[in-house]
Amino acid sequence: MTRLTLTARQPFNFLSVVNSHGWGQLAPFRFDPETETLSYVYRFANGRVDELRLNAAPSGVEVGVKGRHSKAELGELRQAVTWMAGLDQDFGPFYAACRGEPKLARARTLARGRLLRCPTLFEDALKTLFTTNTLWAGTKNMSAKLTAAYGTPLEADPAQRAFPTPAQIAASSPAAIQETVRAGYRAPAVHQLAVRVASGELDLEAFKTSSLPTPKLRKELMKLNGFGPYAAANLLMLLGRHDFIPIDSLALSAVSVEWYRGRPVTAKHVERRFRKWGEHRGLAFWFWDWQADQ
DNA sequence: GGTAGACCTGGACGC
DNA sequence: GCGTCCAGGTCTACC
């Protein structure tokens, strides 16, 4: 077993990352609450597949992976986990903005702000697509079925698979994806995204380091088939851009209970309530202590 | 710019 | 076991 200890910018809380949103429940992630271990079946750039085991370390994250690995593989692993757990993200300006707001009083003490991410934006994009117009059980199902149908198996335990690459999905067809993944009308969008990325026509990963202003980046994301305002805002949050709020039905309901005595509200009401948080809008919304949660 | 309806799946419910 | 209803964002057509 190889063990790496990666240091995070402080404050950092491993469980806050794991529990930041539901990604830890989506294949090929798996979380064991007893040991507080987050597992992920990772596919290296050279095609090798291994299971990563992530645990809290005093100053960041400890990564365990079976077998011997080359220097290049370990370097790739460091880079991947740093991205996934947002180890180098700085939330100082957000915490400063939270001062004086009781509804965000716990943000700094719990080191909230980081959102668990997948190694590739392609995987985050497909999972975001799987959250649209369905219940959470459906999102989990579609992620699990896509991984099981197209991902490369782990040699030691073939029941476990890595998330499929764009090429693996592109080699299939929308009809096959609809049938095996039960993705419904989303299947053509899933296949089209995979084909565009696999062919090199679309460099999704470049969005991670894009210098485009957030509104322009949002426009680019909304050009993708199946990505409307909610999905684009969700991906922007994962990219560390927090200017837009992913407004779904739960968001409308939470804002309705919080400020409008349960009366129906629209996206404009949500935006109005969080306008003052500027570039931290998404974070303020995401980590707000909602009445509806109590 | 706003609204209505179609797109799919799976869970809940009634019979 | 079967049929019906409902929740969930995006897209398109229409006003």
Side-chain angles (χ1 to χ4, degrees):
Chain A
M1 175 77 78
T2 304
R3 290 189 194 281
L4 299 174
T5 302
L6 306 181
T7 305
R9 188 189 285 262
Q10 300 301 314
F12 177 79
N13 183 317
F14 178 68
L15 290 181
S16 281
V17 180
V18 172
N19 297 320
S20 55
H21 61 150
W23 256 215
Q25 300 169 30
L26 302 182
F29 277 113
R30 212 171 32 157
F31 181 64
D32 180 348
E34 295 227 339
T35 59
E36 297 187 342
T37 301
L38 181 69
S39 308
Y40 181 83
V41 184
Y42 181 77
R43 183 188 165 105
F44 285 87
N46 61 15
R48 176 176 179 170
V49 174
D50 278 312
E51 186 185 33
L52 312 183
R53 291 176 166 268
L54 312 185
N55 290 95
S59 60
V61 176
E62 185 183 80
V63 186
V65 55
K66 280 185 185 163
R68 297 172 74 88
H69 292 77
S70 69
K71 215 171 176 181
E73 287 170 338
L74 292 179
E76 180 184 333
L77 211 51
R78 281 178 192 278
Q79 212 170 1
V81 175
T82 297
W83 169 261
M84 290 161 76
L87 300 183
D88 52 5
Q89 284 186 287
D90 178 13
F91 293 94
F94 170 55
Y95 298 144
C98 290
R99 278 190 206 120
E101 174 50 69
K103 290 284 189 171
L104 291 167
R106 294 189 295 170
R108 193 182 187 288
T109 50
L110 295 175
R112 285 175 165 170
R114 293 176 176 86
L115 303 179
L116 181 63
R117 310 189 264 211
C118 301
T120 65
L121 193 64
F122 172 71
E123 184 176 339
D124 278 328
L126 287 192
K127 286 176 174 172
T128 296
L129 202 52
F130 291 157
T131 64
T132 61
N133 201 25
T134 189
L135 304 178
W136 184 242
T139 304
K140 289 204 282 188
N141 260 339
M142 287 184 260
S143 300
K145 288 191 161 102
L146 186 82
T147 304
Y150 301 107
T152 305
L154 193 62
E155 208 177 301
D157 178 8
Q160 291 196 65
R161 289 171 182 258
F163 194 82
T165 63
Q168 286 173 315
I169 300 172
S172 181
S173 68
I177 293 167
Q178 178 165 1
E179 182 61 30
T180 56
V181 180
R182 310 302 294 159
Y185 66 90
R186 302 168 197 82
V190 170
H191 187 253
Q192 186 189 56
L193 190 65
V195 168
R196 292 185 65 198
V197 173
S199 69
E201 179 210 328
L202 174 67
D203 186 359
L204 259 189
E205 303 313 309
F207 287 174
K208 290 178 176 175
T209 52
S210 170
S211 57
L212 281 178
T214 308
K216 284 198 173 168
L217 194 52
R218 177 175 181 262
K219 273 191 181 171
E220 289 303 309
L221 290 171
M222 286 179 65
K223 285 181 187 168
L224 303 176
N225 194 8
F227 287 77
Y230 156 80
N234 197 63
L235 271 185
L236 286 173
M237 289 288 288
L238 291 170
L239 285 167
R241 313 274 195 127
H242 309 119
D243 322 36
F244 291 90
I245 300 171
I247 301 174
D248 58 6
S249 55
L250 284 177
L252 295 175
S253 162
V255 167
S256 163
V257 170
E258 190 82 9
W259 288 293
Y260 298 93
R261 298 181 187 177
R263 290 197 302 271
V265 300
T266 66
K268 289 204 166 163
H269 291 93
V270 180
E271 280 158 9
R272 206 177 301 145
R273 284 290 167 183
F274 284 90
R275 191 175 297 150
K276 72 167 185 169
W277 293 95
E279 63 183 24
H280 309 302
R281 268 182 289 239
L283 289 174
F285 164 81
W286 207 294
F287 296 107
W288 198 258
D289 279 333
W290 296 100
Q291 279 182 47
D293 292 338
Q294 291 160 11

